[in-house]
Amino acid sequence: MKLMIKIACALTLLILSPLSFAKGVVVDDPYARAIPPGQTISAAFMTLVNGSDKNIDLVKASSDSAKNVELHEHIHEDGMMKMRQVPKISIAANGKTELKPGGYHIMLIDLVKHIKPQDIVTINLEFSDGSKQEIKADVRKIMMGMMKKKMSMMKFKQHVNPMPNLLAVYKKMSDKLDLSDDQKSKLDAGIKVRSPKIKELYGDVKSLEKELHEITLKGEPLNKIDQVSDRLMQARLAIIEGKTDCRESIKKVLSDKQFQQLVKLYRANMMPTFNKDKEKAAMAMMKHTNPMPNLMRVIVKKGDQLNLTEKQAAELKKWREERKPISKKVSQTIAKLEADLLEAALNNAPIAKINELADGITQNRVKIIRTKAMCRDNMKRILDDKQYKKVLAIHNEKHNKTMH
Ligand SMILES: [Cu+2]
């Protein structure tokens, strides 16, 4: 009898809430942006998946967490990112539409209470097919689209250039330097000449690292990897050289006192910040020092998909345990040398000292690339063809996902 009641209740619930088995749109991973205290506007994001063979529009959103809820999109206008209200957000038949920072979003205006990470915001969605859904968006800390872009550019610059960016101090706080017009125009002229060259070198590093990654996966031999690695080091060295040159010419234009002030401002405002989370910092450092694909990670994380024999598993484990501390140490050495280089450049060390440190960095960077290339070959030796191909497939799937 009890069971009957339960079933009856379940049926009533199903009939009362057609949303629970709505065939139309499925909402995936809804979340809202955490906001700083005092702010009353936030936004919600999610992926809308349309499982039907008709186009469906999201036509309305509401929430008891905000007095006013609007559908928005981001657009580029006059070189600026702007957002504006839209009457609907379409989801193509059997397709999906992603609401994400910098794109479509649901704007939560006049929040009735402060929302912070780990809170839940309930949002009601209405679709053009007449269906309605209540979703629970968890509140997360996320960066704005532009901010994210800027941050990733900054990270990339730190990745390529271990030298202090002294000209940034001039660009951002020249009022604190007390420069004459003549000095300013000389610095401006220097920037105009140098900046495109450095930018080009940044681009070279980016494309060479990509090439290195790709040819390693393609199975190119060690000597080919060495060649690309060599070109990569040339580009990296050219950046350090260019930046050293830049420091020298700034010194020529500024008085000693002004230069000291410039260094002081740099130290106070622009020293690169490293991650406080230790594990994340270590991961970031590995990425910073190693442009090669991390195939060993596939073995560690997805080894169960590879049908490894006991012997293979043991061999891989042994190799990994031997190598891991070595890679880690080389990576730490690079980090240390780069920190030394930054200090040397700021402390007005002679060019010979800078070159010495730059050489040390280069040698260790080459060492990491070599080690990783050999790691690939050793893995190929231990695994059979099919298994190795599977490793590549898993790696590529993961890599392509994180690249987008
Ligand atoms: Cu908006």
PDB file of all heavy atoms in Angstrom, residues 236-249:
ATOM      1  N   ARG A 236      64.328  33.316 -27.548  1.00  0.00           N
ATOM      2  CA  ARG A 236      64.279  33.700 -26.131  1.00  0.00           C
ATOM      3  C   ARG A 236      65.481  34.561 -25.761  1.00  0.00           C
ATOM      4  O   ARG A 236      65.356  35.548 -25.035  1.00  0.00           O
ATOM      5  CB  ARG A 236      64.223  32.456 -25.241  1.00  0.00           C
ATOM      6  CG  ARG A 236      62.822  31.838 -25.133  1.00  0.00           C
ATOM      7  CD  ARG A 236      62.813  30.719 -24.108  1.00  0.00           C
ATOM      8  NE  ARG A 236      61.477  30.255 -23.785  1.00  0.00           N
ATOM      9  CZ  ARG A 236      60.691  30.798 -22.860  1.00  0.00           C
ATOM     10  NH1 ARG A 236      61.105  31.843 -22.157  1.00  0.00           N
ATOM     11  NH2 ARG A 236      59.498  30.320 -22.631  1.00  0.00           N
ATOM     12  N   LEU A 237      66.655  34.164 -26.245  1.00  0.00           N
ATOM     13  CA  LEU A 237      67.855  34.953 -25.950  1.00  0.00           C
ATOM     14  C   LEU A 237      67.767  36.343 -26.570  1.00  0.00           C
ATOM     15  O   LEU A 237      68.187  37.333 -25.968  1.00  0.00           O
ATOM     16  CB  LEU A 237      69.105  34.224 -26.452  1.00  0.00           C
ATOM     17  CG  LEU A 237      69.585  33.076 -25.558  1.00  0.00           C
ATOM     18  CD1 LEU A 237      70.714  32.306 -26.231  1.00  0.00           C
ATOM     19  CD2 LEU A 237      70.051  33.602 -24.195  1.00  0.00           C
ATOM     20  N   ALA A 238      67.202  36.394 -27.781  1.00  0.00           N
ATOM     21  CA  ALA A 238      67.082  37.694 -28.452  1.00  0.00           C
ATOM     22  C   ALA A 238      66.183  38.639 -27.644  1.00  0.00           C
ATOM     23  O   ALA A 238      66.415  39.852 -27.613  1.00  0.00           O
ATOM     24  CB  ALA A 238      66.529  37.507 -29.862  1.00  0.00           C
ATOM     25  N   ILE A 239      65.190  38.086 -26.976  1.00  0.00           N
ATOM     26  CA  ILE A 239      64.324  38.922 -26.141  1.00  0.00           C
ATOM     27  C   ILE A 239      65.106  39.479 -24.955  1.00  0.00           C
ATOM     28  O   ILE A 239      65.043  40.674 -24.653  1.00  0.00           O
ATOM     29  CB  ILE A 239      63.082  38.132 -25.670  1.00  0.00           C
ATOM     30  CG1 ILE A 239      62.151  37.899 -26.858  1.00  0.00           C
ATOM     31  CG2 ILE A 239      62.346  38.886 -24.567  1.00  0.00           C
ATOM     32  CD1 ILE A 239      60.953  37.035 -26.576  1.00  0.00           C
ATOM     33  N   ILE A 240      65.876  38.614 -24.306  1.00  0.00           N
ATOM     34  CA  ILE A 240      66.686  39.085 -23.172  1.00  0.00           C
ATOM     35  C   ILE A 240      67.683  40.142 -23.639  1.00  0.00           C
ATOM     36  O   ILE A 240      67.866  41.176 -22.995  1.00  0.00           O
ATOM     37  CB  ILE A 240      67.425  37.894 -22.501  1.00  0.00           C
ATOM     38  CG1 ILE A 240      66.398  36.920 -21.911  1.00  0.00           C
ATOM     39  CG2 ILE A 240      68.385  38.388 -21.417  1.00  0.00           C
ATOM     40  CD1 ILE A 240      66.995  35.691 -21.265  1.00  0.00           C
ATOM     41  N   GLU A 241      68.271  39.870 -24.793  1.00  0.00           N
ATOM     42  CA  GLU A 241      69.239  40.817 -25.350  1.00  0.00           C
ATOM     43  C   GLU A 241      68.575  42.162 -25.635  1.00  0.00           C
ATOM     44  O   GLU A 241      69.090  43.223 -25.278  1.00  0.00           O
ATOM     45  CB  GLU A 241      69.809  40.221 -26.638  1.00  0.00           C
ATOM     46  CG  GLU A 241      71.157  40.775 -27.040  1.00  0.00           C
ATOM     47  CD  GLU A 241      71.638  40.112 -28.318  1.00  0.00           C
ATOM     48  OE1 GLU A 241      71.601  38.868 -28.381  1.00  0.00           O
ATOM     49  OE2 GLU A 241      71.992  40.838 -29.258  1.00  0.00           O
ATOM     50  N   GLY A 242      67.419  42.087 -26.277  1.00  0.00           N
ATOM     51  CA  GLY A 242      66.678  43.306 -26.600  1.00  0.00           C
ATOM     52  C   GLY A 242      66.318  44.102 -25.355  1.00  0.00           C
ATOM     53  O   GLY A 242      66.423  45.336 -25.327  1.00  0.00           O
ATOM     54  N   LYS A 243      65.921  43.386 -24.314  1.00  0.00           N
ATOM     55  CA  LYS A 243      65.528  44.054 -23.069  1.00  0.00           C
ATOM     56  C   LYS A 243      66.747  44.650 -22.350  1.00  0.00           C
ATOM     57  O   LYS A 243      66.641  45.680 -21.686  1.00  0.00           O
ATOM     58  CB  LYS A 243      64.799  43.070 -22.149  1.00  0.00           C
ATOM     59  CG  LYS A 243      63.406  42.712 -22.642  1.00  0.00           C
ATOM     60  CD  LYS A 243      62.460  43.877 -22.419  1.00  0.00           C
ATOM     61  CE  LYS A 243      61.092  43.592 -23.024  1.00  0.00           C
ATOM     62  NZ  LYS A 243      60.183  44.729 -22.875  1.00  0.00           N
ATOM     63  N   THR A 244      67.881  43.971 -22.466  1.00  0.00           N
ATOM     64  CA  THR A 244      69.107  44.506 -21.862  1.00  0.00           C
ATOM     65  C   THR A 244      69.502  45.801 -22.568  1.00  0.00           C
ATOM     66  O   THR A 244      69.832  46.816 -21.943  1.00  0.00           O
ATOM     67  CB  THR A 244      70.272  43.485 -21.992  1.00  0.00           C
ATOM     68  OG1 THR A 244      69.819  42.232 -21.522  1.00  0.00           O
ATOM     69  CG2 THR A 244      71.471  43.925 -21.179  1.00  0.00           C
ATOM     70  N   ASP A 245      69.433  45.725 -23.867  1.00  0.00           N
ATOM     71  CA  ASP A 245      69.700  46.872 -24.714  1.00  0.00           C
ATOM     72  C   ASP A 245      68.796  48.046 -24.340  1.00  0.00           C
ATOM     73  O   ASP A 245      69.223  49.195 -24.251  1.00  0.00           O
ATOM     74  CB  ASP A 245      69.397  46.415 -26.144  1.00  0.00           C
ATOM     75  CG  ASP A 245      70.164  47.231 -27.143  1.00  0.00           C
ATOM     76  OD1 ASP A 245      71.311  47.551 -26.848  1.00  0.00           O
ATOM     77  OD2 ASP A 245      69.577  47.546 -28.202  1.00  0.00           O
ATOM     78  N   CYS A 246      67.564  47.700 -24.111  1.00  0.00           N
ATOM     79  CA  CYS A 246      66.557  48.689 -23.733  1.00  0.00           C
ATOM     80  C   CYS A 246      66.942  49.349 -22.406  1.00  0.00           C
ATOM     81  O   CYS A 246      66.889  50.580 -22.263  1.00  0.00           O
ATOM     82  CB  CYS A 246      65.219  47.959 -23.624  1.00  0.00           C
ATOM     83  SG  CYS A 246      63.888  48.986 -23.049  1.00  0.00           S
ATOM     84  N   ARG A 247      67.347  48.539 -21.445  1.00  0.00           N
ATOM     85  CA  ARG A 247      67.777  49.082 -20.152  1.00  0.00           C
ATOM     86  C   ARG A 247      68.945  50.047 -20.349  1.00  0.00           C
ATOM     87  O   ARG A 247      68.975  51.148 -19.782  1.00  0.00           O
ATOM     88  CB  ARG A 247      68.213  47.945 -19.218  1.00  0.00           C
ATOM     89  CG  ARG A 247      68.570  48.424 -17.814  1.00  0.00           C
ATOM     90  CD  ARG A 247      69.322  47.385 -17.008  1.00  0.00           C
ATOM     91  NE  ARG A 247      70.680  47.150 -17.534  1.00  0.00           N
ATOM     92  CZ  ARG A 247      71.602  46.422 -16.921  1.00  0.00           C
ATOM     93  NH1 ARG A 247      71.327  45.821 -15.780  1.00  0.00           N
ATOM     94  NH2 ARG A 247      72.795  46.254 -17.460  1.00  0.00           N
ATOM     95  N   GLU A 248      69.910  49.649 -21.180  1.00  0.00           N
ATOM     96  CA  GLU A 248      71.081  50.491 -21.420  1.00  0.00           C
ATOM     97  C   GLU A 248      70.680  51.841 -22.008  1.00  0.00           C
ATOM     98  O   GLU A 248      71.209  52.880 -21.617  1.00  0.00           O
ATOM     99  CB  GLU A 248      72.064  49.776 -22.355  1.00  0.00           C
ATOM    100  CG  GLU A 248      72.683  48.522 -21.748  1.00  0.00           C
ATOM    101  CD  GLU A 248      73.331  48.781 -20.397  1.00  0.00           C
ATOM    102  OE1 GLU A 248      74.285  49.572 -20.334  1.00  0.00           O
ATOM    103  OE2 GLU A 248      72.854  48.208 -19.392  1.00  0.00           O
ATOM    104  N   SER A 249      69.735  51.808 -22.949  1.00  0.00           N
ATOM    105  CA  SER A 249      69.390  53.086 -23.567  1.00  0.00           C
ATOM    106  C   SER A 249      68.538  53.952 -22.628  1.00  0.00           C
ATOM    107  O   SER A 249      68.604  55.177 -22.681  1.00  0.00           O
ATOM    108  CB  SER A 249      68.724  52.897 -24.927  1.00  0.00           C
ATOM    109  OG  SER A 249      67.620  52.080 -24.808  1.00  0.00           O
TER     110      SER A 249
END
